[in-house]
Amino acid sequence: MVDAVLFEFLHTEMVAELWAHEADPDPGPGEQKMNLLVLESMGFRVGQALGERLPRETLALREELDVLKFLCKDLWVAVFQKQMDSLRTNHQGTYVLQDSSFPLLVRMASGLQYVEEAPKFLAFTCGLLRGTLSTLGIKSLVTASVAALPACRFQVVVQRS
């Protein structure tokens, strides 16, 4: 429980610190994009580190679907103390992971006005997923969307050579 609170606090502070340095209270799209990229890059590195510490049995996963199931169950429990709610695929390299009560968005769920703030709280997690997948040998593009708080969905598109 303490670890979850500390992680949530650290994450909130990272987001706040990046947005605090903006000179303009209404930053342009370029500045917002750069801040999101910084958060995503930080998440990517953390995801790589998590992936490097996985048990050898996990590293033996060869099927994409098995790796995504691992992310939804084991990785999500390790980071957020709960499993992802659903995983869907079109069996052509696109996966949709849905969490109906994403821990980093729960505190924001009190009003619709926070929906537009949600992307900056999801960038780190997109990087985390992409970094872990990269360590497991899967090159991907991960995006997130929010229709209603605290639910969110992550779309993972596997990039094949």
Side-chain angles (χ1 to χ4, degrees):
M1 181 68 176
V2 173
D3 291 341
V5 171
L6 289 175
F7 174 73
E8 186 177 333
F9 179 70
L10 175 64
H11 181 268
T12 302
E13 287 301 309
M14 288 187 315
V15 171
E17 182 66 21
L18 280 169
W19 265 261
H21 290 292
E22 297 172 348
D24 184 6
D26 188 25
E31 199 169 349
Q32 286 180 344
K33 190 172 184 172
M34 185 58 132
N35 290 340
L36 292 174
L37 184 62
V38 168
L39 283 169
E40 199 269 345
S41 297
M42 292 166 70
F44 182 82
R45 181 59 196 116
V46 171
Q48 282 181 316
L50 282 173
E52 291 166 357
R53 288 169 177 75
L54 296 173
R56 295 213 180 269
E57 305 85 56
T58 304
L59 297 175
L61 296 174
R62 292 291 167 219
E63 296 293 320
E64 282 176 6
L65 185 56
D66 291 333
V67 171
L68 271 291
K69 286 179 183 178
F70 165 79
L71 291 179
C72 290
K73 293 178 181 177
D74 300 323
L75 180 73
W76 220 248
V77 168
V79 177
F80 299 111
Q81 286 77 43
K82 68 183 273 316
Q83 288 187 6
M84 184 75 72
D85 293 320
S86 74
L87 167 65
R88 285 184 257 143
T89 180
N90 65 358
H91 298 287
Q92 296 176 358
T94 300
Y95 300 88
V96 176
L97 294 69
Q98 191 159 350
D99 192 334
S100 60
S101 182
F102 186 59
L104 298 176
L105 297 178
V106 169
R107 296 193 194 280
M108 298 172 59
S110 61
L112 290 175
Q113 71 271 25
Y114 298 115
V115 171
E116 61 189 44
E117 296 292 319
K120 60 185 170 187
F121 289 91
L122 298 173
F124 180 87
T125 308
C126 287
L128 182 84
L129 290 169
R130 196 171 65 84
T132 305
L133 287 167
S134 174
T135 300
L136 294 172
I138 298 175
K139 189 175 179 181
S140 62
L141 174 65
V142 179
T143 56
S145 61
V146 174
L149 291 170
C152 68
R153 107 186 338 180
F154 297 92
Q155 182 173 356
V156 177
V157 178
V158 175
Q159 299 173 332
R160 296 188 171 96
S161 339

